[in-house]
């Protein structure tokens, strides 16, 4: 079976994280099941200059309004889902079980099927509603990973910082990579 990962891309700033993840997975011959919110698609184009037609060949785009998509059913096999970057709006939809958009529905399916759901919020500061929504998702089985790169690998540029976040996301799915130098301790 080909490896499938659902990638949700929302309207939060930070679409470089999603684009980097997509390109890394595509290079590893993964099938990327991409769901973008309408604002997410606009932010992707605005921040990176990348339109949907320029995405790698093994990216299958599912329209966010299509609740008949394979991603809306637990019988469709995937290795899990990552929402990167995750807006607080989408986080709220996922935390309340709202499923009238495919991105939120796919997250609900991922949780109910007990597959990994990784949520990468990219907004600050958090208010109490954001924190409670993250707690609710974490209690349901999601992993909350704010886009907070480390600096122990001595990043030289923005892409090094992005690679650290994306690499840590890949770690959650057990996907091997060489995106950053791992901490080995002080000698």
């Amino acid at each position: 079976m080909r490896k499938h990962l659902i990638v949700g891309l929302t309207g939060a700033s930070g679409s470089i994280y999603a684009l980097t993840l997509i390109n890394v997975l595509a290079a590893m011959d993964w099938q990327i099941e991409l769901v973008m919110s309408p604002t997410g698609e606009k932010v992707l184009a605005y921040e990176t200059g990348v339109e949907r037609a320029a995405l790698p060949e093994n990216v299958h785009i599912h329209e966010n309004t299509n609740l008949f998509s394979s991603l809306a059913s637990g019988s469709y096999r995937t290795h899990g889902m990552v929402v990167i970057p995750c807006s607080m709006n989408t986080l709220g939809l996922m935390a309340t079980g709202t499923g009238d958009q495919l991105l939120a529905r796919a997250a609900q399916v991922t949780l109910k099927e007990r597959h990994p759901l990784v949520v990468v919020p990219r907004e600050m500061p958090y208010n109490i509603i954001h924190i409670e929504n993250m707690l609710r998702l974490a209690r349901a089985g999601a992993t909350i990973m704010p886009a907070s790169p480390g600096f122990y690998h001595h990043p030289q540029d923005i892409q090094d910082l992005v690679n650290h976040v994306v690499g840590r996301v890949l770690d959650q799915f057990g996907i091997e990579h060489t995106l950053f130098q791992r901490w080995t301790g002080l000698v």
Side-chain angles (χ1 to χ4, degrees):
M1 177 176 123
R2 189 170 191 188
K3 298 173 183 177
H4 293 252
L5 190 69
I6 304 168
V7 176
L9 194 162
T10 74
S13 182
S15 56
I16 189 171
Y17 292 113
L19 185 60
T20 299
L21 177 66
I22 287 166
N23 287 332
V24 167
L25 289 170
M28 294 179 182
D29 201 34
W30 278 69
Q31 176 67 43
I32 298 101
E33 308 290 352
L34 178 62
V35 183
M36 296 183 282
S37 71
T39 307
E41 186 168 358
K42 290 176 185 172
V43 172
L44 175 68
Y46 177 77
E47 290 184 346
T48 68
V50 175
E51 305 279 340
R52 67 170 46 208
L55 292 170
E57 191 174 291
N58 45 344
V59 174
H60 178 208
I61 298 173
H62 299 259
E63 297 303 326
N64 199 30
T65 56
N66 182 9
L67 292 176
F68 283 93
S69 164
S70 55
L71 305 183
S73 172
S75 67
Y76 186 70
R77 307 277 302 182
T78 72
H79 287 80
M81 180 176 184
V82 58
V83 183
I84 182 170
C86 186
S87 68
M88 290 302 125
N89 180 61
T90 300
L91 187 114
L93 292 173
M94 293 185 302
T96 58
T98 304
D100 60 349
Q101 299 171 11
L102 181 59
L103 203 156
R105 171 65 186 157
Q108 296 306 315
V109 168
T110 300
L111 287 173
K112 81 176 184 66
E113 295 297 324
R114 306 277 193 246
H115 296 300
L117 172 62
V118 175
V119 178
V120 183
R122 219 303 312 138
E123 203 163 317
M124 66 174 186
Y126 299 136
N127 68 38
I128 193 68
I129 296 168
H130 301 153
I131 293 167
E132 287 176 349
N133 283 338
M134 284 186 255
L135 178 60
R136 182 178 239 179
L137 278 173
R139 284 182 173 152
T143 300
I144 309 298
M145 294 186 67
S148 303
F151 292 86
Y152 56 82
H153 62 293
H154 301 285
Q156 300 300 304
D157 55 29
I158 290 173
Q159 192 61 53
D160 287 345
L161 295 171
V162 170
N163 286 350
H164 188 266
V165 170
V166 170
R168 297 291 288 136
V169 167
L170 292 171
D171 288 349
Q172 295 300 304
F173 294 96
I175 301 172
E176 293 297 321
H177 63 85
T178 57
L179 290 175
F180 63 88
Q181 183 176 349
R182 295 185 182 280
W183 176 253
T184 57
L186 294 174
V187 237

